[in-house]
Amino acid sequence: MRRTGTAGVLALATVAALAAVPAHAAAPVPGGELCTPAACHVDVAPGTYHVTVTLGGAEAGSTSVTAETRRALLPETPTAPGQRIRRTFTVDVREPEGEPTGPAGSSGLDLVVGGTSPKLAGLRVTPAPGARKIVLVGDSTVCDQPGAPYAGWGQHLPQYLGRGLAVANYADSGESTQSVLDNPALFPAALARVRQGDLVLVQLAHNDKQTPAATYRANLARMVDAVRAKGGRPVLVTPVVRRWFNADDTLNNGTALLVNGLGVDLPAEIRALAADADVPLIDLTALTKRRVEELGPQSSKALYLYDEKRDNTHTSVRGATEYAALVDGELRAQGLIR
């Protein structure tokens, strides 16, 4: 599905325009937006855009914003009675809007206004073709998951970033280092979006269940080289742990720490390649292991979908949010973003 929206600056959706619209209806505002108190649609073509929201109202509020396929852009933000605050974030609008092998989704940019007492007073969208990107290549623990209760950390990373830095998430469920290279919709499509200075984070391991060590290393090295050739900055990310406890309440076992069926310690291979190729490393395996062990066998269930699905691999919204914060913290600690 092709988008044919305007390319210019899109006008402000005013308090009056939003307040006058019943929650079940949508009304046009100048510039191509359709807004209700709970959502806005902006008719734009694929690309990168700055989005400025004005929050607040006569009464106290608490507002969050998500976009496209459940991407978290603004965490719940409180406003006092009569207060107005503005927040700006940068959004990647693409086709498909969620997982690259999934459905196309709706055209344009769709924003969902949530929170315990949402108060959206205004909206401004402007093209940002020069914005820097964080391009993600990964599996189901990273991707823009289409439906609750599933959530990927890449889906929740945007809420930690400010104006001028957009997340282009090309992670896809079920993918291995080989399948992302072979499918034109995955790594090749992600690579086509890379420009000078863009970061490309690669987290692939969960589906390399029978990949030999040499092949695994070679596939990752091929991606690193391709990103560098485009002027991008590759960043290798070790996989999130599986919530698989030993009797001593540790995760010191191959299932939890992603040792595959051939005995290949996949995180160790990533660490070694990062050192050999002088690539920044986010050791998300170590970080998530520490967090899961800190919470213990019972409390750590909330990070995963154990209660809902008896799933110790895929994360809940809480888990994805916490793990995204860990990634953001490492990017800042290493000076890769500010």
Side-chain angles (χ1 to χ4, degrees), residues 12-15 18 35 40 52-56 84-85 119-124:
L12 184 70
T14 65
V15 176
L18 288 166
C35 281
C40 284
T52 299
V53 293
T54 303
L55 308 178
R84 294 288 189 275
I85 63 173
K119 297 287 187 295
L120 176 64
L123 170 70
R124 187 176 179 85

Side-chain angles (χ1 to χ4, degrees), residues 319-330:
T321 301
E322 288 200 21
Y323 291 175
L326 294 175
V327 172
D328 175 70
E330 282 296 299

Side-chain angles (χ1 to χ4, degrees), residues 28-252:
V29 296
E33 299 99 331
L34 288 171
C35 281
T36 74
C40 284
H41 171 80
V42 189
D43 184 22
V44 294
T48 308
Y49 297 87
H50 297 316
V51 178
T52 299
V53 293
T54 303
L55 308 178
E59 301 175 348
S62 186
T63 309
S64 63
V65 180
T66 60
E68 303 292 81
T69 306
R70 305 173 61 237
R71 283 184 240 157
L73 299 178
L74 182 72
E76 195 152 340
T77 303
T79 48
Q83 183 185 23
R84 294 288 189 275
I85 63 173
R86 286 188 176 89
R87 294 288 185 269
T88 300
F89 36 82
T90 303
V91 182
D92 181 62
V93 178
R94 61 185 181 271
E95 295 179 338
E97 67 179 33
E99 291 184 272
T101 62
S106 59
S107 63
L109 170 62
D110 290 293
L111 302 170
V112 176
V113 184
T116 55
S117 181
K119 297 287 187 295
L120 176 64
L123 170 70
R124 187 176 179 85
V125 179
T126 57
R132 191 182 181 204
K133 293 186 296 297
I134 298 178
V135 181
L136 304 181
V137 178
D139 54 35
S140 58
T141 65
V142 185
C143 74
D144 287 352
Q145 287 282 359
Y150 294 90
W153 64 254
Q155 198 166 25
H156 286 262
L157 183 60
Q159 67 188 302
Y160 296 106
L161 309 176
R163 184 182 189 274
L165 190 57
V167 173
N169 193 347
Y170 284 82
D172 196 76
S173 295
E175 306 300 342
S176 67
T177 54
Q178 190 65 57
S179 67
V180 300
L181 287 166
D182 293 342
N183 190 331
L186 299 176
F187 182 76
L191 186 65
R193 299 289 310 280
V194 175
R195 298 186 314 176
Q196 188 74 32
D198 287 344
L199 297 175
V200 181
L201 275 59
V202 179
Q203 185 218 278
L204 290 160
H206 280 90
N207 301 300
D208 282 275
K209 298 174 182 179
Q210 296 295 324
T211 307
T215 302
Y216 186 68
R217 284 276 297 267
N219 287 342
L220 290 174
R222 180 177 162 190
M223 289 183 241
V224 166
D225 291 343
V227 170
R228 283 175 164 167
K230 285 289 298 286
R233 298 193 65 187
V235 180
L236 292 173
V237 184
T238 60
V240 301
V241 292
R242 295 189 182 100
R243 186 193 155 276
W244 197 265
F245 281 93
N246 295 329
D248 63 358
D249 291 348
T250 70
L251 301 180
N252 296 321

